[in-house]
Amino acid sequence: MKNKIIDLIAGQVTDITPEEIAALIEIPPKPELGDFAFPCFRLAKTMHKAPQAIAAEIKDGIGRVDFLDEIKCEGAYLNFFVNKEQFIASQVQSMLKDNYGSSAEGEGKTICIDYSSPNVAKNFHVGHLRTTIIGNALYKIYSKLGYHVERINHIGDWGTQFGKLIVAYKAWGSEEAVKKDGVAELMRLYVKFHEEAEKDENLINEGRAWFAKMEQGDPEALSIWQWFKDISLAEFMKTYKLLGIEFDHITGESFYRNMTDDVIARIEKAGLLTESDGAKIVNLDEYDMAPCLIVKNDGSSIYATRDLAAVFYRKENYNFTKCLYVTGQEQKLHFAQVFKVVELLGNDWAKDGLVHIPYGLVSLSGEKLSTRSGNIIYAEDILLEAISKIKEIIEEKNPGLPDKDEVARKVGVGAVLFNDLYNQRIKDVSFKWDKLLNFNGETGPYVQYTYARCASILRGLEGFTPSADIDYSVLTDDASVDLVKELSRFGKVVQDAAERYEPFMVARFAVAVAQVFNKFYDANRINVEDEKVKTARATLVYIVKTVIKDAMSLLGIECPEQM
Ligand code: ARG
């Protein structure tokens, strides 16, 4: 409709391009002012006439058009009143097409997303839950826009800490204990190492020596490390399974360990490497940043070195247009340094191509969450707790529901994800069971419940199939028009969410659709005698159901058919 209006205006005035017209067109704040408005101030300057006069001229020039009920001049504005029936028809027809809301903007382009990336021998905590959820949503959103996405899990599986862990395991650990308690035991050993190292400085050197052995490929060191890694990955996988999340590459820091020498040589050749207290760094004073540490004074590589190697590996192998890094905001400086070094090595693409996507903290204030030991909160436990709380609600309210466990998983996990994705990334996420599990608030369960309601309505209509060949005059009441207008935002919402790396825009949209739908449903009975009315309204219900399902799936949330 907007394009048609742009064409009409462009047909009347010459000294403005269709793109300029498009940028000027507004959606009026009140329905009395029409569906679209065009301000004439900009034309007044070049045409040397009063904007009111220009508005009147354009209106007269356009005359009567079938898809518009009316054009009104309001001061300097032209207000367009779209014919409701035609508007609804054109919208509904496009919504019934496959993959509504998608676009081809990303065709032929690749985006790498580096997310989740928990650390071996440490628990998968709530912070990692955030990067996992946000990264997965960005993957879905970019895919919807036609991009090819490489999902990369940059596990923290290399570094001096593993040398220390080997020392601790040999001194105070046992195979049985590690087998029995997994990551929790590895964490205990790591804490123990640091306690003991306070008394015995030599332990630090021993730890370094074991990491040096790892870097040199010593079989014993590597086999212990590999075992710790396998145990940790098996635990992480349980969390991924609950979330229904997969990766294309689980390539941790160790994957790049043989590529760091090459990176160091490149930096040296470019004349960027300088010595500082026995370590090697890239000085970034000129850019108001602390130096980027490349080689430690004990000769070992470091987090940043491996990240540099990873950038080049990904650029060469995936030829990305963008590589996104989803981590907490405390890593802001790290990524700024790494990106700067890539750029200084003569890679202009680093400027727009490498993007850090930070997010805020999780605050659990006042909430009781189950902890396994030492007050450490595992993401898996949060998810399991949400699932079990939902299971209780189901047992109480709908004990006869089929597939109760699967429904509880979808709704419990959905509630946690939705709560995380409902606000801007950078905002802290607060965790309140009552709020996030509420079936009536702005929550995952509320949207899922609305979806199940749509599904149930449609199940009750025998022989109904959605159709574009319906009587659109049935759908011109306010509640139906509001619903169609809301649904029509989907494509733009997905685009905006991708452009700003903000899944919350999709989450807000899902809630808005559910709310407007519930109003529509209060105002309109679906299962009525009149077949024409029934089919038209049910087609709208079908679209709502599809759009909610798709929007929720962009957030990584599944919608059960029955709740
Ligand atoms: N393992 C890191 C952590 O837990 C996150 C890694 C992020 N990705 C990267 N390429 N540095 O903080």
Side-chain angles (χ1 to χ4, degrees):
M1 285 287 166
K2 186 173 170 184
N3 287 335
K4 285 188 183 179
I5 291 171
I6 294 168
D7 287 346
L8 289 179
I9 300 171
Q12 299 304 317
V13 280
T14 44
D15 56 352
I16 186 167
T17 64
E19 291 74 34
E20 278 179 275
I21 299 173
L24 288 171
I25 287 183
E26 298 167 13
I27 308 280
K30 287 186 252 162
E32 304 89 87
L33 298 172
D35 302 291
F36 297 98
F38 178 70
C40 297
F41 306 106
R42 144 77 180 79
L43 283 173
K45 280 191 206 134
T46 44
M47 292 170 71
H48 307 293
K49 278 188 210 164
Q52 291 83 342
I54 299 172
E57 261 174 45
I58 298 177
K59 173 179 148 73
D60 290 344
I62 293 174
R64 271 221 47 79
V65 192
D66 66 343
F67 71 92
L68 295 174
D69 280 346
E70 205 180 0
I71 307 175
K72 275 192 197 161
C73 296
E74 280 279 340
Y77 281 84
L78 269 173
N79 292 338
F80 295 85
F81 293 77
V82 168
N83 178 279
K84 275 188 197 158
E85 197 174 324
Q86 291 218 20
F87 167 75
I88 300 288
S90 75
Q91 292 298 324
V92 168
Q93 280 154 12
S94 73
M95 289 169 191
L96 285 168
K97 296 209 177 97
D98 271 354
N99 210 356
Y100 168 62
S102 66
S103 93
E105 72 162 68
E107 240 161 65
K109 293 187 195 136
T110 295
I111 306 265
C112 287
I113 310 183
D114 175 316
Y115 63 111
S116 194
S117 313
N119 300 315
V120 162
K122 295 233 178 89
N123 71 317
F124 192 114
H125 58 70
V126 285
H128 289 126
L129 189 59
R130 288 215 71 194
T131 150
T132 307
I133 294 171
I134 295 167
N136 184 59
L138 291 175
Y139 150 65
K140 300 264 184 157
I141 289 168
Y142 276 98
S143 301
K144 179 110 182 153
L145 297 176
Y147 290 88
H148 171 73
V149 179
E150 298 283 353
R151 296 167 293 178
I152 306 171
N153 193 337
H154 192 81
I155 303 266
D157 64 355
W158 203 250
T160 31
Q161 68 272 30
F162 296 102
K164 296 175 183 172
L165 203 56
I166 293 174
V167 172
Y169 171 68
K170 285 182 166 274
W172 311 289
S174 73
E175 193 174 333
E176 304 77 69
V178 173
K179 279 198 174 139
K180 183 169 157 282
D181 288 336
V183 166
E185 169 66 5
L186 296 177
M187 293 211 294
R188 187 191 69 82
L189 288 172
Y190 194 68
V191 171
K192 173 93 175 152
F193 178 91
H194 284 280
E195 281 165 11
E196 297 293 328
E198 298 223 336
K199 294 175 248 163
D200 177 2
E201 276 177 28
N202 200 36
L203 283 173
I204 299 284
N205 291 331
E206 278 181 43
R208 274 201 195 122
W210 273 103
F211 181 56
K213 281 191 184 184
M214 283 170 59
E215 293 220 284
Q216 286 145 19
D218 176 79
E220 188 196 353
L222 287 181
S223 91
I224 303 177
W225 162 79
Q226 183 67 49
W227 179 47
F228 292 165
K229 183 171 162 176
D230 291 343
I231 284 173
S232 308
L233 283 180
E235 286 198 20
F236 301 159
M237 286 304 160
K238 288 198 274 170
T239 304
Y240 294 137
K241 194 161 170 243
L242 279 176
L243 293 167
I245 280 181
E246 287 172 6
F247 296 91
D248 300 304
H249 313 280
I250 301 192
T251 37
E253 292 183 46
S254 69
F255 180 78
Y256 306 98
R257 65 182 188 261
N258 297 323
M259 304 175 207
T260 49
D261 283 348
D262 188 46
V263 168
I264 298 165
R266 268 163 102 157
I267 300 174
E268 189 150 34
K269 203 164 153 229
L272 294 168
L273 205 62
T274 48
E275 290 259 343
S276 164
D277 290 335
K280 290 179 185 163
I281 60 162
V282 176
N283 186 307
L284 298 172
D285 280 352
E286 211 180 306
Y287 311 97
D288 282 333
M289 269 184 247
C292 184
L293 185 56
I294 305 290
V295 184
K296 288 211 262 188
N297 57 10
D298 64 6
S300 57
S301 69
I302 186 169
Y303 187 50
T305 333
R306 293 186 283 279
D307 253 328
L308 286 164
V311 172
F312 294 120
Y313 178 87
R314 291 169 191 171
K315 186 71 186 168
E316 249 160 61
N317 288 276
Y318 310 133
N319 190 24
F320 58 76
T321 43
K322 274 188 182 168
C323 182
L324 315 180
Y325 296 81
V326 188
T327 79
Q329 47 186 333
E330 67 283 352
Q331 295 198 36
K332 194 173 168 209
L333 174 63
H334 163 74
F335 285 108
Q337 292 168 323
V338 168
F339 298 169
K340 194 43 127 190
V341 173
V342 176
E343 191 193 319
L344 291 176
L345 288 171
N347 304 292
D348 245 8
W349 48 262
K351 277 188 213 149
D352 300 322
L354 301 175
V355 189
H356 179 218
I357 315 278
Y359 55 81
L361 302 169
V362 183
S363 77
L364 304 156
S365 54
E367 277 301 307
K368 273 217 164 59
L369 290 165
S370 64
T371 55
R372 293 182 203 187
S373 63
N375 265 349
I376 290 159
I377 294 151
Y378 287 66
E380 189 194 358
D381 292 345
I382 291 189
L383 296 169
L384 290 174
E385 202 154 321
I387 295 169
S388 100
K389 284 181 190 288
I390 292 289
K391 186 82 188 295
E392 273 169 35
I393 300 176
I394 295 175
E395 292 296 357
E396 190 194 308
K397 297 210 167 138
N398 192 2
L401 182 73
D403 295 327
K404 273 187 279 196
D405 286 326
E406 200 38 26
V407 173
R409 186 188 68 81
K410 289 178 183 170
V411 179
V413 168
V416 173
L417 267 59
F418 203 88
N419 179 59
D420 192 301
L421 296 172
Y422 196 62
N423 292 302
Q424 287 176 34
R425 282 182 275 110
I426 209 69
K427 295 252 167 78
D428 291 351
V429 168
S430 71
F431 213 88
K432 299 205 176 76
W433 286 126
D434 287 355
K435 201 176 136 216
L436 71 101
L437 298 177
N438 193 334
F439 282 58
N440 283 314
E442 292 165 8
T443 64
Y446 168 68
V447 178
Q448 286 167 317
Y449 190 75
T450 306
Y451 174 85
R453 177 180 250 184
C454 293
S456 138
I457 296 167
L458 295 177
R459 270 197 306 275
L461 302 177
E462 232 166 274
F464 162 76
T465 41
S467 162
D469 186 20
I470 49 179
D471 180 353
Y472 289 100
S473 70
V474 170
L475 302 177
T476 52
D477 63 289
D478 286 350
S480 306
V481 173
D482 286 349
L483 180 54
V484 172
K485 277 194 177 167
E486 191 56 52
L487 290 165
S488 73
R489 292 174 48 230
F490 192 25
K492 180 81 169 59
V493 165
V494 180
Q495 272 173 4
D496 289 348
E499 203 180 297
R500 293 168 53 184
Y501 316 108
E502 284 287 14
F504 88 88
M505 302 180 103
V506 177
R508 302 256 158 168
F509 169 73
V511 165
V513 169
Q515 285 170 340
V516 198
F517 168 75
N518 286 319
K519 279 193 196 138
F520 162 85
Y521 186 57
D522 281 344
N524 292 301
R525 271 191 57 207
I526 316 288
N527 201 357
V528 291
E529 283 292 303
D530 187 332
E531 283 295 328
K532 268 204 315 205
V533 175
K534 181 157 87 181
T535 313
R537 288 183 183 159
T539 295
L540 220 45
V541 176
Y542 167 83
I543 292 171
V544 170
K545 178 173 180 268
T546 314
V547 169
I548 289 185
K549 186 183 186 132
D550 289 354
M552 293 295 266
S553 132
L554 294 180
L555 305 174
I557 301 172
E558 294 170 83
C559 290
E561 296 297 309
Q562 262 175 288
M563 258 169 87

